Amino acid sequence: MADLQDELHPPAEVGELAQLFGAVPELHTPVSDPDAEPLDRARALLAAHPVADGYSGLPWALRHLPWFDLELGESAVDTDVPRLREGHVGALLWSLHLPEGLDGDRAVGATLEQLDLVKTVVRNHPEGLRLARTAGQTTDAHHCGRVAVLLGPAGAAALGDSLGILRSLHALGLRALTLSGVSWASEAGLTRFGEEVLREMNRLGVLADLSGASGDTIRRVLAVSKAPVLFTRSAARALRPHPANLPDDLLSELGAAKGLCMVPLTAEQTGPTVRDVADHLDHVREVAGVECVGLSGTYDAGTAHPQELGDASCYPHLVAELLRRGWAEADLALLTWGNVQRVLRESDFTARAAQQRREPSTAKIADLDG
């Protein structure tokens, strides 16, 4: 039942038991010394509420290394177990995205190879990593001293326009799918088949990632989806006009839908300093709401990172900057861990309800889109 419990806002009897055994820190109870230095306070807060990182490009980066040891430490990449622990990362989504130009059967095959690689990497690093699918499993992994690895997002091309392949990928552990770059989720928005894909994702519990999707696709997904959506790598366009960043009207709509905008720690999208990243977090919180903002390291994805945020160990520097700006500990706990847990949990609840009403879809793209 771990995945049914909300460690941030549990029922009274669950909360009392968890408090008794120290599993659930009360959000209104400070976990850091308010008189300590911001960096020390940040580390104390992250020890209680670790980072759930929305995007890691590590799988593709590891394909190019002849040998690596993530538990001992690996200087050839931005992410390894020692740095994840130093940065107080408790969970992260491992991207299954592919280089541009792969589509059709090649995209399906390459995605399956990525899935196999991730499972092999996690299996070979059991003291540091653990595969997880649900909010409860991510919490369990953290309590056992492991970093929870969630599979996804994958690119929509990985489906090969087949709902059967979507179900197969979900059975292998896929948790998120990016809805862009295919005929049924394009600049023109979602087609009828695209809407059917989204409904099947809701039934399975696969989250819709809308970073890089067109405005028409985003609005249609927000209207159709019964589960919360993610933007795994999107910041505020009002502060930096990057095409993957969100304008304020879409941020407002995302807030109304209780989705999650995960701000990337990249110089291109957020700016060259930790203060620039904090500016984006401030803006997203103001426009969408504190329950709709999260963090996305975007490490090992081939992008430059702001000063003081060069690798996965650097999250305390960002949290310290937010503490200097007056962020409450309760808001920081939502930013780092609680909002991702909520989205995972609500997605699972939506899936269980949908499975009671809806059989697996057998729709074909040729039948719906012609």
Side-chain angles (χ1 to χ4, degrees):
M1 296 293 289
D3 57 326
L4 300 182
Q5 297 173 2
D6 187 342
E7 67 274 9
L8 295 177
H9 301 289
E13 64 276 13
V14 174
E16 290 170 4
L17 287 172
Q19 285 292 315
L20 179 63
F21 292 101
V24 184
E26 287 275 3
L27 284 187
H28 61 262
T29 302
V31 297
S32 67
D33 179 358
D35 296 323
E37 290 295 319
L39 191 57
D40 293 332
R41 289 187 65 199
R43 293 190 175 109
L45 188 142
L46 287 169
H49 305 287
V51 172
D53 186 326
Y55 192 95
S56 170
L58 190 60
W60 192 261
L62 293 178
R63 287 175 64 108
H64 301 91
L65 299 182
W67 184 90
F68 54 86
D69 187 333
L70 298 181
E71 285 179 359
L72 180 64
E74 183 53 64
S75 61
V77 292
D78 298 331
T79 309
D80 54 30
V81 172
R83 282 179 283 184
L84 288 170
R85 287 177 172 156
E86 185 179 350
H88 296 281
V89 177
L92 71 168
L93 284 159
W94 280 22
S95 165
L96 304 175
H97 283 158
L98 305 171
E100 292 185 10
L102 287 178
D103 54 19
D105 291 344
R106 293 174 63 207
V108 176
T111 301
L112 289 171
E113 289 176 356
Q114 290 275 82
L115 275 165
D116 179 67
L117 172 65
V118 171
K119 292 191 173 187
T120 300
V121 170
V122 174
R123 185 171 60 248
N124 290 342
H125 298 81
E127 297 304 313
L129 305 174
R130 179 180 292 183
L131 282 174
R133 294 189 182 212
T134 67
Q137 289 174 4
T138 62
T139 299
D140 290 344
H142 171 60
H143 288 166
C144 293
R146 310 305 195 265
V147 178
V149 174
L150 297 109
L151 298 175
L159 302 192
D161 298 335
S162 167
L163 294 175
I165 293 176
L166 171 62
R167 286 188 286 272
S168 296
L169 291 173
H170 171 259
L172 292 171
L174 182 68
R175 219 36 247 256
L177 185 75
T178 303
L179 299 185
S180 64
V182 289
S183 63
W184 45 267
S186 65
E187 290 296 320
L190 283 185
T191 65
R192 290 178 62 201
F193 181 73
E195 293 182 9
E196 189 71 4
V197 171
L198 181 61
R199 283 188 284 266
E200 189 67 7
M201 289 169 64
N202 284 176
R203 194 189 70 84
L204 293 169
V206 176
L207 291 161
D209 169 29
L210 299 176
S211 281
S214 69
D216 287 340
T217 294
I218 291 169
R219 289 186 174 89
R220 190 58 188 156
V221 170
L222 291 175
V224 172
S225 180
K226 302 299 183 183
V229 303
L230 292 174
F231 287 83
T232 59
R233 295 169 295 160
S234 293
R237 193 175 296 178
L239 302 184
R240 202 166 184 90
H242 189 280
N245 290 347
L246 296 178
D248 284 358
D249 61 332
L250 286 180
L251 282 174
S252 296
E253 292 182 39
L254 179 69
K258 294 301 180 185
L260 184 56
C261 177
M262 309 189 82
V263 173
L265 312 187
T266 66
E268 182 181 7
Q269 282 185 253
T270 51
T273 71
V274 66
R275 293 182 297 279
D276 293 318
V277 178
D279 288 343
H280 283 268
L281 293 169
D282 283 341
H283 189 86
V284 174
R285 180 179 66 158
E286 179 181 352
V287 177
V290 70
E291 294 184 348
C292 300
V293 58
L295 297 172
S296 180
T298 324
Y299 293 114
D300 296 299
T303 59
H305 297 280
Q307 298 169 15
E308 298 186 80
L309 299 175
D311 60 46
S313 71
C314 297
Y315 280 107
H317 295 286
L318 176 57
V319 173
E321 174 64 24
L322 297 175
L323 285 167
R324 294 186 191 100
R325 295 178 180 221
W327 278 56
E329 287 191 356
D331 289 357
L332 287 167
L334 291 173
L335 170 74
T336 59
W337 185 254
N339 289 338
V340 171
Q341 292 286 90
R342 172 186 62 81
V343 167
L344 289 172
R345 188 169 288 110
E346 290 182 9
S347 174
D348 287 339
F349 284 146
T350 300
R352 290 172 190 172
Q355 288 164 17
Q356 300 298 315
R357 304 188 308 269
R358 176 182 168 91
E359 293 295 319
S361 175
T362 57
K364 306 292 184 184
I365 189 170
D367 297 333
L368 295 181
D369 291 352

